[in-house]
Amino acid sequence: MDDMLSLPIFDLVESGALLALLVKGTLLCLLGVSLGSESSAMPAIVRHRIALGTVSCLAALPLLAVMLSSWELPILPREAAARDTNASLLIRLLTLVYLGVAAILLTRLCLDVLRIARLSGRARAVDTAARLLPGLDHPRGNTPVRYSEEIRSPLTWGWLRPQVLVPQDASGWKANELFMVLHHELAHVQRMDWAGHVVARCVHALYWPVPGIRLLLRQLSLSSEQACDDRVLATGVAAPQYAAMLLRQAQGHRVPATVPLAHSTELGTRIRYLVVEIVDHSAFARGTAATFFTCFALTLAVATAQLGQRPELPVIAWGSVEPSDAIQVSTFPRHAVAVDAAVLAVLEPGPARPLPLPAPLKPPRLEPLEKPTVPPPRIDAPLP
């Protein structure tokens, strides 16, 4: 146990590097989630670009923090002279919990990739998508299609050699339904959504304590499916017809580490997105380079910030100030404050002196009134 608690990772924890990484990840994650939720009326490709840009920033954040020079943000409290042993042990135990959960998430990702690889190896190869459906005109029509008895909903996996898996009963589907399914799955291949899905799960393993990380991954998955739905609608397929196909295909279960056609938890949101007329269903949008450049610039500013300790305020002890013409009282030499010795002398304690009493108030002096020039009328005088 002592050997585990003395790993080099704990040096980074005690130095605040891991805490700073999680704080920066929280800032970027909440920013991406808020932008994605505020742009619900925008095209799905724009919302997917925001979510993918946020995930990419979170993935590049540790590398940029190590490679680039940093600037300090003094917000942390100053450390005590002697660290509490119990507090240090608690921090190390919490770090072990963090590393354990991250290892579990990464192990699950590896097992899911192996599972889908074995499932694809047992599937029966049919042909490429273009030869299976001659009417399909798609840039990635050479992607192989396989029939599998272990799935009930179409899905896509792979990056360098992507593959499309369809259920065994797909041979009895109608031509228009097969066209919609293959066009949706090939849109995932063209957009390289599987690679983004895997990177997002790795980011989740690194930032799992960050609030909002699961909501960000849900936005990434939902916007990816909606962007591919817009690709299908751009071919001229009616929205009600495509929504009915999604309802039929959503009967199957979800296979991890893949990009399936329909998620049962997201089906209602996708159908509402399809039938709402005020939503922009643009399948292609410009500004990809500008979006990622903005995300990269924001990540640079966040990655180079380091959490520093607050400066210690100067403390002047009674009687510890020697008289001089000027004394610098500051912990920052560049911003020293010149204090006159006469001002500090007032603060020094001296012999107790009685306070002077205020002078008594004198009554105001009244001037005598002038005598009247006209005598007052007599009261006993007879009336005229």
Side-chain angles (χ1 to χ4, degrees):
M1 186 66 179
D2 296 338
D3 296 337
M4 294 182 60
L5 295 179
S6 61
L7 295 175
I9 184 65
F10 296 109
D11 296 335
L12 296 177
V13 175
E14 294 184 353
S15 64
L18 182 59
L19 177 61
L21 179 64
L22 295 180
V23 171
K24 297 173 186 178
T26 302
L27 177 62
L28 292 177
C29 183
L30 294 180
L31 181 60
V33 169
S34 60
L35 290 178
S37 59
E38 291 294 333
S39 58
S40 57
M42 294 184 180
I45 188 173
V46 176
R47 289 184 284 109
H48 179 265
R49 188 182 300 159
I50 294 174
L52 184 60
T54 306
V55 171
S56 303
C57 291
L58 292 175
L61 188 60
L63 298 178
L64 294 178
V66 174
M67 296 172 56
L68 302 178
S69 58
S70 60
W71 57 279
E72 191 173 279
L73 186 64
I75 61 176
L76 295 178
R78 296 188 62 85
E79 296 181 353
R83 182 183 296 273
D84 189 3
T85 306
N86 295 330
S88 178
L89 181 61
L90 179 60
I91 292 175
R92 290 170 180 259
L93 291 178
L94 292 177
T95 306
L96 285 179
V97 174
Y98 165 78
L99 295 177
V101 175
I104 291 175
L105 294 176
L106 291 176
T107 303
R108 287 181 56 184
L109 174 60
C110 296
L111 293 178
D112 291 340
V113 172
L114 292 177
R115 176 186 173 187
I116 188 60
R118 294 178 58 185
L119 187 148
S120 178
R122 292 192 298 266
R124 179 171 59 91
V126 180
D127 210 333
T128 61
R131 293 186 180 182
L132 181 64
L133 192 64
L136 181 65
D137 185 13
H138 197 278
R140 300 305 297 267
N142 58 346
T143 302
V145 179
R146 293 176 175 270
Y147 284 161
S148 176
E149 299 178 355
E150 304 178 41
I151 63 174
R152 286 180 288 176
S153 179
L155 53 90
T156 301
W157 83 283
W159 178 34
L160 297 178
R161 296 180 180 180
Q163 299 179 10
V164 176
L165 302 182
V166 294
Q168 185 65 34
D169 58 352
S171 56
W173 291 351
K174 298 180 180 179
N176 58 349
E177 184 172 357
L178 186 61
F179 172 83
M180 290 185 289
V181 168
L182 292 180
H183 207 286
H184 179 97
E185 299 301 333
L186 293 179
H188 279 305
V189 175
Q190 186 177 5
R191 290 163 39 85
M192 295 184 294
D193 288 335
W194 187 82
H197 175 74
V198 174
V199 172
R201 291 191 59 175
C202 294
V203 169
H204 180 215
L206 180 61
Y207 297 95
W208 67 265
V210 170
I213 186 65
R214 295 184 62 87
L215 183 58
L216 176 64
L217 299 184
R218 183 181 180 276
Q219 288 184 356
L220 178 66
S221 174
L222 178 60
S223 59
S224 172
E225 297 294 335
Q226 291 175 338
C228 293
D229 294 340
D230 290 337
R231 293 283 186 96
V232 178
L233 296 182
T235 61
V237 177
Q241 182 183 4
Y242 184 68
M245 187 272 297
L246 289 179
L247 287 174
R248 290 192 299 269
Q249 296 295 336
Q251 303 294 330
H253 59 279
R254 178 181 178 181
V255 180
T258 59
V259 184
L261 175 67
H263 295 170
S264 57
T265 57
E266 302 172 352
L267 187 60
T269 306
R270 291 175 61 184
I271 291 179
R272 286 194 299 270
Y273 175 79
L274 290 173
V275 298
V276 173
E277 297 181 356
I278 61 174
V279 176
D280 188 2
H281 294 281
S282 300
F284 302 93
R286 298 180 180 179
T288 304
T291 302
F292 280 92
F293 177 78
T294 304
C295 294
F296 182 73
L298 179 62
T299 307
L300 285 180
V302 176
T304 54
Q306 297 294 334
L307 302 181
Q309 299 177 0
R310 291 195 295 263
E312 185 178 2
L313 297 178
V315 178
I316 303 176
W318 291 103
S320 62
V321 180
E322 298 180 358
S324 60
D325 295 335
I327 301 176
Q328 291 185 352
V329 183
S330 177
T331 56
F332 300 98
R334 295 183 180 179
H335 306 282
V337 180
V339 181
D340 197 332
V343 178
L344 296 178
V346 178
L347 301 178
E348 295 183 357
R353 296 190 300 268
L355 296 177
L357 297 177
L361 298 178
K362 296 181 179 181
R365 183 178 180 182
L366 301 177
E367 297 292 338
L369 298 177
E370 297 180 357
K371 296 181 179 181
T373 55
V374 180
R378 295 178 59 185
I379 299 177
D380 56 349
L383 296 173

